Amino acid sequence: MGKIDLNKKKKREALLNTAFELFTSQGIHKTTINNIVETAGVAKGTFYLYFKDKYDIRNKLIAHKAALIFSAADEALAKTGLTELEDRIIFLVDHILGQFNADKSLLHFISKNLSWGIFKNELISWGDNSDVNFYNIYKMLENSPKTFKNPEVLLFMIVEFVSATCYSSILYGDPVGIEELKPYVFDAIRQIIKSQELPV
């Protein structure tokens, strides 16, 4: 990566990091593009080189943060030696839940704004701009000796299930704390996976 490309990446990262800080501290509706560029220390025109408007940066930020979370979990998984698909997926979920538990503002931001369509489209559109290969999980499904009715639907169901069931548990300890809830979540994930397997 050349000096110009590195400088572009730094500016883009500064805008993303600043937008995240402002969105989580004062909300997206109260945050203006001027707030973002002034706090990031870049010209307003620079913002428009990377983003259409504040909703575009929000969508890219959601995908960026979610991809970084997945990347950290994927890197940790690579060091485990786990081979069974269910164990690998549960490891990823456990690691991701741990990251959200450690950074509740990130959980609140992502879960409040994330939709499957935004997440999938932004990750696909990032292409070469992303240091994260989210599709490692698709490879995991494809490389499994098991076949599934629709791997994308399976992944969607797991993401939506975990998001819906763990949000209140992490933020509010409701109905129980996340550590107490995890065994139930992991059993349910195993059942979801099993329900989507095609007979051999």
Side-chain angles (χ1 to χ4, degrees):
M1 184 177 284
K3 190 173 181 178
I4 293 173
D5 289 335
L6 192 59
N7 194 28
K8 285 181 180 180
K9 186 174 182 178
K10 281 184 180 179
K11 286 181 180 178
R12 189 173 192 276
E13 287 291 320
L15 287 166
L16 286 166
N17 291 334
T18 301
F20 178 71
E21 290 171 21
L22 292 171
F23 290 162
T24 55
S25 64
Q26 63 189 36
I28 190 167
H29 299 296
K30 292 183 182 175
T31 301
T32 66
I33 292 171
N34 283 337
N35 297 145
I36 296 169
V37 297
E38 287 170 13
T39 307
V42 300
K44 194 170 188 177
T46 303
F47 178 92
Y48 291 105
L49 291 174
Y50 304 105
F51 312 105
K52 294 177 207 153
D53 54 32
K54 71 178 180 179
Y55 299 101
D56 185 40
I57 195 172
R58 177 202 61 188
N59 294 347
K60 285 180 173 50
L61 183 58
I62 292 164
H64 177 68
K65 292 289 188 181
L68 290 175
I69 289 166
F70 174 76
S71 180
D74 192 42
E75 286 175 23
L77 174 63
K79 298 174 186 172
T80 66
L82 292 172
T83 56
E84 292 295 318
L85 177 68
E86 292 87 350
D87 295 337
R88 291 170 60 85
I89 289 175
I90 287 171
F91 180 89
L92 288 172
V93 169
D94 188 38
H95 198 282
I96 290 166
L97 290 175
Q99 291 179 72
F100 281 139
N101 199 33
D103 189 349
K104 293 175 176 64
S105 66
L106 180 59
L107 169 65
H108 185 70
F109 174 73
I110 287 179
S111 66
K112 187 175 180 184
N113 296 293
L114 181 64
S115 78
W116 179 254
I118 288 172
F119 184 56
K120 183 180 168 197
N121 290 337
E122 291 302 328
L123 285 175
I124 289 168
S125 70
W126 270 41
D128 294 335
N129 294 328
S130 179
D131 296 327
V132 178
N133 186 357
F134 175 76
Y135 289 97
N136 282 349
I137 197 157
Y138 281 115
K139 290 179 199 169
M140 233 190 326
L141 294 171
E142 289 174 359
N143 295 336
S144 170
K146 300 172 183 175
T147 53
F148 300 96
K149 295 174 188 172
N150 184 328
E152 184 175 336
V153 169
L154 172 59
L155 185 56
F156 167 80
M157 288 171 36
I158 292 170
V159 168
E160 290 295 317
F161 168 73
V162 171
S163 175
T165 55
C166 295
Y167 179 83
S168 291
S169 182
I170 291 173
L171 289 181
Y172 312 114
D174 189 30
V176 294
I178 191 61
E179 292 305 319
E180 193 176 337
L181 186 66
K182 280 181 184 179
Y184 298 99
V185 171
F186 299 156
D187 284 346
I189 289 171
R190 289 183 192 280
Q191 291 302 316
I192 291 170
I193 294 169
K194 188 173 181 159
S195 75
Q196 295 302 303
E197 285 179 31
L198 290 171
V200 180

